[in-house]
Amino acid sequence: MSQQGRALAAELGLRRRDDGLAVVFTSDLRRAVETAEIAFRDGGIPIVPDPRLRECDYGVLNGGPVAEVAARRSQHLRTPWPGGQSYQDVVERTREFLRDLVVRWDGTRVLLVAHSANRWSLEHLLNGVPLEELVDAPFEWRPGWTFHVPTSFR
């Protein structure tokens, strides 16, 4: 993780530590776990890695040039990346995570530390935004996104 990434993680902890969070769920990929640890390690909030919050598996392009991946995103909405997954696969993992979240953590405030494909999945599942629009939209970093998961989520 870069120095800037560590600074942003520390800022996340300062910004959200007193928000009444019951738990922080994180992708089990190292950079996401490290972000959560920097932000919340001293806050008494449990940090729970979950593999369902992993980034899309880009197969042979994992770790490849971002521009090359970005140029091909719309081709992999439902067709897996060579040796990897499709964005629909990530949506289904995220759906499964949200179903469990409603059962086990309904009525509580939680925080997720995940990746772009997970954010797109949340926008798609909870706000009805088509994946086609999400994967090709320009990325604009911001300090967080808020989503509400209805008790009736299925």
Side-chain angles (χ1 to χ4, degrees), residues 13-127:
L14 292 173
R15 189 176 72 247
R16 301 303 304 268
R17 188 174 309 265
D18 296 324
D19 279 358
L21 297 173
V23 63
V24 174
F25 289 100
T26 178
S27 158
D28 64 347
L29 296 180
R30 184 70 206 138
R31 68 184 186 266
V33 172
E34 187 176 358
T35 297
E37 288 172 346
I38 291 168
F40 299 103
R41 75 172 128 231
D42 298 326
I45 301 167
I47 298 171
V48 180
D50 192 308
R52 295 173 296 183
L53 296 175
R54 283 184 187 166
E55 176 63 281
C56 185
D57 181 350
Y58 295 103
V60 299
L61 284 177
N62 276 339
V66 173
E68 185 177 346
V69 171
R72 297 172 58 187
R73 284 183 186 140
S74 62
Q75 299 169 26
H76 298 284
L77 297 172
R78 287 163 191 79
T79 301
W81 291 85
Q85 300 176 300
S86 70
Y87 291 114
Q88 187 62 45
D89 293 330
V90 179
V91 167
E92 294 311 317
R93 277 194 281 121
T94 304
R95 183 189 315 275
E96 181 184 334
F97 173 82
L98 291 175
R99 285 178 178 151
D100 284 350
L101 189 70
V102 166
V103 170
R104 296 180 183 165
W105 296 92
D106 187 35
T108 65
R109 183 173 222 164
V110 304
L111 186 131
L112 306 184
V113 178
H115 310 278
S116 294
N118 308 104
R119 182 177 54 82
W120 298 334
S121 295
L122 292 168
E123 288 283 358
H124 177 68
L125 291 167
L126 299 173
N127 297 330

Side-chain angles (χ1 to χ4, degrees), residues 127-144:
N127 297 330
V129 180
L131 279 177
E132 294 79 359
E133 290 178 24
L134 295 165
V135 300
D136 286 332
F139 177 75
E140 293 182 32
W141 187 89
R142 61 188 211 201

